[in-house]
Amino acid sequence: MMYPKLAASIQAMLTETDRIDAERRARLSRLADYVRDRRGEGTVRLNFICTHNSRRSHLAMVWAAVAAEWFGISGVETYSGGTEATAFNPRAVAALERIGFRVDDPGGDNPHYGVHYAEDRPALLCYSKTYDDPANPTGDFAAVMTCSEADANCPFIPGASLRLPLTYEDPKAADGSPAEAETYDARTRQIGREILYAFSLLGEEG
């Protein structure tokens, strides 16, 4: 079972789907359709891509894994990458902890964080890398573009069977300001809400 605080956060976000506008619902439906179609053929691979692989792409990767678990959608593998590698930003890590995840931080310049959502499930490994890193799939995957800069700078993602723009505003704009935690929490919740909505469209399929 998922950690109680995280489960409560998920249940609350599932009541907030009215905050998702029609255009984004259509894009999220495309994501759900891709998962549905690929599940019929085998493993579903989702690679969430932004510029630095430091915030939004990691958040989306984590939420996609959790959403698949929550709705019992098997065969889904989630990845993340950037057009360049930096580090998973500790502000985004802290936002995940505030919403109910537990995170192992080994330290270092580019920490390989272990993000836990349940005691009986393996941790999600989160660290910054490029989208074509050997740890990521090389073919038959969805490239979900979580930032407009990466979407514009990478018009072609080799090996992707779907390219889906699902961009979010960068919470980095609030770094060092009084609104920093609030901004990161809001973005974490928005990404979670939308990814959960996409997987809810598959929720009865198991």
Side-chain angles (χ1 to χ4, degrees), residues 80-110:
S80 70
T83 56
E84 58 184 276
T86 54
F88 189 9
N89 191 277
R91 299 171 182 85
V93 174
L96 287 176
E97 291 177 317
R98 287 193 294 270
I99 208 166
F101 291 90
R102 299 178 187 175
V103 182
D104 298 328
D105 178 3
D109 292 335
N110 184 7

Side-chain angles (χ1 to χ4, degrees), residues 93-164:
V93 174
L96 287 176
E97 291 177 317
R98 287 193 294 270
I99 208 166
F101 291 90
R102 299 178 187 175
V103 182
D104 298 328
D105 178 3
D109 292 335
N110 184 7
H112 286 43
Y113 293 96
V115 179
H116 301 263
Y117 58 90
E119 293 290 355
D120 60 347
R121 293 291 185 269
L124 302 170
L125 184 61
C126 295
Y127 64 99
S128 186
K129 56 196 171 298
T130 57
Y131 67 83
D132 56 355
D133 185 271
N136 286 340
T138 58
D140 195 23
F141 64 91
V144 184
M145 313 304 289
T146 59
C147 84
S148 56
E149 183 178 348
D151 189 35
N153 291 339
C154 293
F156 175 68
I157 303 293
S161 49
L162 172 71
R163 178 199 176 88
L164 179 64

